[in-house]
């Protein structure tokens, strides 16, 4: 059930299994060629991770709502600036090299590569902060953050809006460059201010996306 859990988790986070999609034990058992008990055990873990939810008598992939999106970014408005300010003080040469690497990887028009690089860049800032509790808190939201990113990209692509979001992506890249420069300079106040502004740039995106209730 651990292997099946990992496969389903990847499909949920990547939105291959879409938010709101029904998950029937019988169908999954037939697809994987295992017992319903094995499927049930995998789904129980996913339920504890808030990746699946109950809808009446059945389970479905947890929906992504406007409230969830807003609350995630409310949280990041406080946590990201703290991580950036600590990173400006505690970053190592290796941390800076990692951040530059992901900054460069984000210079792509491929949707999935862009969003993956964005995630890695922000994760690297939390690592550079050298605070285990802050990093642990970030890991609590990483599944939801990744799901929302994939959902956002798939919605933009499905609605032929990816090309129209070029301006927003360019501003995101510019923000990353400025945040990295502040961290390199050891300017903790500037790094925190830029990180908070960057989160504010993201929070208006959800109006473009399809929402499943």
């Amino acid at each position: 059930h651990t292997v099946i859990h990992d496969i389903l988790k990847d499909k949920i986070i990547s939105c291959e299994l879409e938010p709101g999609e029904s998950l029937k034990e019988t169908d999954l058992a037939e697809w994987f060629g295992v017992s319903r008990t094995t499927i049930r055990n995998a789904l129980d873990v996913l339920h504890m991770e808030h990746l699946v939810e109950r809808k009446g008598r059945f389970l479905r992939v947890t929906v992504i709502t406007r409230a969830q999106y807003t609350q995630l970014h409310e949280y990041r408005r406080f946590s990201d600036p703290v991580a950036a300010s600590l990173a400006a003080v505690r970053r190592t040469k290796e941390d800076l090299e990692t951040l530059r690497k992901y900054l460069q990887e984000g210079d792509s028009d491929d949707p999935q590569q862009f969003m993956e690089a964005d995630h890695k860049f922000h994760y690297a800032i939390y690592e550079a902060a050298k605070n285990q509790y802050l990093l642990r808190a970030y890991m609590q939201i990483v599944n939801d953050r990744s799901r929302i990113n994939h959902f956002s990209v798939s919605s933009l692509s499905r609605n032929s809006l990816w090309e129209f979001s070029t301006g927003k992506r360019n501003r995101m890249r510019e923000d990353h460059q400025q945040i990295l420069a502040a961290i390199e300079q050891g300017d903790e106040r500037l790094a925190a201010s830029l990180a908070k502004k960057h989160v504010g740039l993201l929070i208006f995106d959800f109006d473009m996306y399809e929402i499943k209730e």
Side-chain angles (χ1 to χ4, degrees):
H1 78 268
T2 302
V3 174
I4 292 172
H5 160 270
D6 291 346
I7 293 172
L8 290 175
K9 182 176 180 177
D10 286 344
K11 290 181 179 295
I12 290 171
I13 288 177
S14 68
C15 290
E16 184 176 340
L17 287 171
E18 296 185 354
E21 186 169 339
S22 178
L23 297 172
K24 297 181 180 179
E25 290 181 8
T26 52
D27 292 345
L28 291 172
E30 182 177 352
W31 187 55
F32 282 106
V34 297
S35 69
R36 289 180 62 182
T37 299
T38 302
I39 295 297
R40 191 175 301 119
N41 289 337
L43 292 176
D44 283 345
V45 178
L46 291 168
H47 186 259
M48 288 189 292
E49 294 173 330
H50 306 291
L51 292 173
V52 303
E53 62 186 1
R54 294 206 171 274
K55 180 67 173 178
R57 295 173 52 197
F58 303 100
L59 286 172
R60 67 179 183 181
V61 177
T62 301
V63 298
I64 295 175
T65 65
R66 185 184 301 276
Q68 178 188 8
Y69 183 87
T70 301
Q71 290 168 21
L72 177 66
H73 285 81
E74 286 174 346
Y75 172 84
R76 288 188 59 194
R77 284 187 67 201
F78 291 96
S79 64
D80 281 21
V82 173
S85 65
L86 290 175
V89 176
R90 300 174 178 173
R91 83 289 185 277
T92 63
K93 179 181 178 182
E94 290 74 20
D95 291 327
L96 293 175
E97 290 175 352
T98 299
L99 285 164
R100 292 190 198 101
K101 173 186 174 183
Y102 295 142
L103 185 66
Q104 185 175 4
E105 288 183 4
D107 190 17
S108 170
D109 288 327
D110 177 76
Q112 297 305 329
Q113 182 176 334
F114 177 83
M115 298 310 293
E116 183 65 22
D118 175 75
H119 161 66
K120 289 178 178 179
F121 180 82
H122 287 284
Y123 179 76
I125 291 175
Y126 276 79
E127 282 198 313
K130 305 295 188 293
N131 184 303
Q132 62 173 316
Y133 299 103
L134 195 61
L135 184 60
R136 195 180 301 171
Y138 180 81
M139 295 307 295
Q140 291 293 314
I141 67 167
V142 72
N143 286 341
D144 286 345
R145 186 182 187 281
S146 295
R147 282 188 76 215
I148 286 174
N149 282 350
H150 282 288
F151 181 65
S152 303
V153 168
S154 63
S155 296
L156 285 169
S157 300
R158 184 167 57 249
N159 294 312
S160 301
L161 292 171
W162 178 252
E163 293 303 322
F164 290 100
S165 68
T166 300
K168 178 62 70 67
R169 296 201 306 278
N170 287 338
R171 291 198 298 275
M172 289 174 65
R173 292 188 185 103
E174 290 170 4
D175 280 3
H176 287 177
Q177 291 169 350
Q178 292 173 5
I179 292 169
L180 175 54
I183 290 174
E184 285 180 315
Q185 295 162 12
D187 192 331
E188 54 187 308
R189 289 188 179 182
L190 180 59
S193 175
L194 291 169
K196 186 172 184 178
K197 178 176 75 72
H198 180 62
V199 176
L201 171 68
L202 305 177
I203 203 165
F204 300 105
D205 282 349
F206 203 82
D207 286 340
M208 293 183 181
Y209 309 147
E210 173 186 345
I211 305 170
K212 288 192 175 184
E213 298 287 0

